[in-house]
Amino acid sequence: MAEAPLKGVRVIELARILAGPWAGQLLADLGADVIKVENPAGGDDTRKWGPPFVMGQDGENLSAAYYHAANRGKRSITLDFSREKDCARLKKLIATADILIENFKLDGLKKYGLDYESLKAINPKLVYCSITGFGQTGPYAARAGYDFIIQGMSGLMSITGAPGGEPQKVGVAVSDIFTGLYSVIAIQAALRHAEKTGEGQHIDMALLDSQIAALGNQNLNYLVSGEAPAQMGNAHLNIAPYEVLPVKDGHIILAVGNDGQFQRFCKVVDLSDLANDPRFSTNPARVTNREALRKVIEKRLAAWEKKKLLAELEVNAVPASPINTIAEAFDDPQAKARGMKLELDDGHGNKLPSVRAPMVMSGTPLSYERPSPRLGEHTEEILREIGEASE
């Protein structure tokens, strides 16, 4: 089998919670040797963010599910770099690395000589990625950054939720996850530059920047029109009908993306006259008259059962879907066929649950060789690699 694409690349992760560890986990999936440096006094905060906790077959607490969501494939070493000896060991380890990821507050590592300017003197090729709430510059640079706060400040919550209702956050920490993904993109670009030139660089990643950037078409809706988009519930500002609709036994998603799909939808539900009505025959017309359109569609769908309607829409190539729980999503035949659920052997007789990364590569498949590490599990092994003995 071919090697994973980042085999041979070493990453030092000085990161906690989600954005930094998410980036580290993805690099580990891609084959990098990711060494998670944790404080001996408890390690990553998310180890305790439960319940639920992952329990070993002998009843051992193997840390919270949250921790396991973002730390697969890594090795863990415990070092207290506020101690001179451990700090020296860490620097020795960093000298062997290609990449460092950290999410300390602005200048939080400078007093230990672990900032980029200090470390590039001992490792000129080092790609050093700093992840903070607001970046290394600007009036908010010194502030702590939390996903919830960033969802609010970025504009995301202003377009999420029912019209006129309380602004809503997304049900997962998307600002952290987007920042982790953007970080990996930047890290790989910087790694290529370092391989070509021998020069590393400092990557400045901010949760606020990432979440603003990820608002996509909604940003341009504002920049072009001058009007800030508002909450629309499950409706779409630019397309109709593209929303959640009630049926006899629940709700479905109807995602009509063009006029042809709308015509086929109308035929399925016996509303063919709508397709020729000038109020609804084109997408701009449907967007303008969305309220009248929804009333007509709701009335007709009240007689349809979810399963039968979805089957008819699929046969007629009209995009629609059920609204699954997470349990139903993992039980879906497509998710099963794609192998989204993983079970990883921890070498101690336990099979730990995990979720496959979404990249499928034909030539350099990803690596899922180990689950999330126990606190300090690889300390002795890693210290031996740099010629040090554990205490």
Side-chain angles (χ1 to χ4, degrees), residues 5-6 9 27 98-99 125-128 183-201 203:
L6 295 184
V9 172
L27 292 168
D98 302 283
I99 298 161
K125 289 181 65 176
L126 185 66
V127 172
Y128 187 110
S183 295
V184 171
I185 295 169
I187 284 168
Q188 290 183 110
L191 187 62
R192 178 170 170 79
H193 176 265
E195 289 170 346
K196 289 168 62 178
T197 67
E199 297 177 357
Q201 59 185 291
I203 299 170

Side-chain angles (χ1 to χ4, degrees), residues 76-79 83 85-86 89 92 376-391:
S76 170
I77 183 173
T78 51
L79 293 172
R83 297 172 57 223
K85 186 174 183 179
D86 274 3
R89 285 173 164 172
K92 192 172 181 179
E377 180 176 356
H378 305 96
T379 298
E380 292 186 13
E381 172 183 297
I382 294 166
L383 288 176
R384 283 197 303 268
E385 291 172 5
I386 58 170
E388 293 277 338
S390 62
E391 295 176 356

Side-chain angles (χ1 to χ4, degrees), residues 131-148:
I131 300 175
T132 58
F134 300 96
Q136 303 293 303
T137 60
Y140 303 158
R143 290 187 186 180
Y146 298 93
D147 178 272
F148 194 2

Side-chain angles (χ1 to χ4, degrees), residues 55-365:
M55 305 304 293
Q57 62 177 1
D58 59 357
E60 181 185 3
N61 185 331
L62 301 179
S63 297
Y66 195 121
Y67 165 77
H68 288 276
N71 289 286
R72 172 183 60 234
K74 304 173 187 178
R75 297 193 288 167
S76 170
I77 183 173
T78 51
L79 293 172
D80 178 2
F81 51 78
S82 66
R83 297 172 57 223
E84 186 175 342
K85 186 174 183 179
D86 274 3
C87 190
R89 285 173 164 172
L90 178 54
K91 289 176 182 177
K92 192 172 181 179
L93 184 59
I94 292 169
T96 72
D98 302 283
I99 298 161
L100 184 145
I101 302 170
E102 63 92 5
N103 66 348
F104 283 73
K105 291 181 181 179
L106 185 69
D107 293 332
L109 291 175
K110 195 170 186 177
K111 60 185 174 182
Y112 305 111
L114 295 172
D115 57 304
Y116 174 64
E117 290 301 320
S118 298
L119 291 179
K120 75 175 183 179
I122 63 172
N123 188 348
K125 289 181 65 176
L126 185 66
V127 172
Y128 187 110
C129 181
S130 294
I131 300 175
T132 58
F134 300 96
Q136 303 293 303
T137 60
Y140 303 158
R143 290 187 186 180
Y146 298 93
D147 178 272
F148 194 2
I149 300 296
I150 299 301
Q151 288 198 39
M153 293 182 67
S154 66
L156 176 60
M157 288 177 62
S158 75
I159 57 173
T160 306
E166 179 179 277
Q168 294 290 310
K169 70 178 180 68
V170 179
V172 70
V174 290
S175 301
D176 278 322
I177 289 174
F178 277 133
T179 306
L181 296 176
Y182 278 122
S183 295
V184 171
I185 295 169
I187 284 168
Q188 290 183 110
L191 187 62
R192 178 170 170 79
H193 176 265
E195 289 170 346
K196 289 168 62 178
T197 67
E199 297 177 357
Q201 59 185 291
H202 188 196
I203 299 170
D204 173 8
M205 297 297 305
L207 270 67
L208 183 63
D209 297 357
S210 298
Q211 187 56 74
I212 290 175
L215 294 186
N217 62 295
Q218 294 285 40
N219 287 333
L220 268 292
N221 286 332
Y222 163 66
L223 293 173
V224 170
S225 71
E227 297 180 9
Q231 293 168 304
M232 295 186 66
N234 291 306
H236 194 295
L237 181 62
N238 306 112
I239 313 171
Y242 197 98
E243 55 197 299
V244 171
L245 288 164
V247 293
K248 186 176 181 179
D249 58 343
H251 293 82
I252 67 163
I253 293 172
L254 179 65
V256 169
N258 58 51
D259 297 339
Q261 292 172 357
F262 182 67
Q263 291 163 10
R264 295 195 297 276
F265 165 73
C266 290
K267 185 177 180 180
V268 168
V269 298
D270 195 23
L271 287 173
S272 295
D273 55 322
L274 285 188
N276 299 315
D277 187 321
R279 294 176 300 162
F280 311 125
S281 58
T282 67
N283 182 68
R286 293 192 294 275
V287 169
T288 300
N289 297 289
R290 69 167 72 241
E291 291 184 13
L293 176 63
R294 182 180 172 97
K295 287 180 182 178
V296 176
I297 293 175
E298 276 190 1
K299 186 175 180 180
R300 181 55 53 90
L301 296 190
W304 280 84
E305 293 182 351
K306 178 168 48 177
K307 189 173 181 179
K308 183 177 179 182
L309 177 56
L310 289 173
E312 287 294 319
L313 293 176
E314 182 174 1
V315 168
N316 287 274
V318 178
S321 77
I323 301 170
N324 290 332
T325 64
I326 292 176
E328 289 168 335
F330 275 107
D331 197 45
D332 188 280
Q334 183 65 20
K336 287 183 174 180
R338 298 290 287 178
M340 292 307 299
K341 180 181 176 181
L342 300 176
E343 283 193 342
L344 305 177
D345 189 336
D346 74 345
H348 300 276
N350 302 299
K351 296 287 187 180
L352 305 188
S354 196
V355 181
R356 179 178 69 76
M359 300 89 68
V360 178
M361 303 172 70
S362 64
T364 53

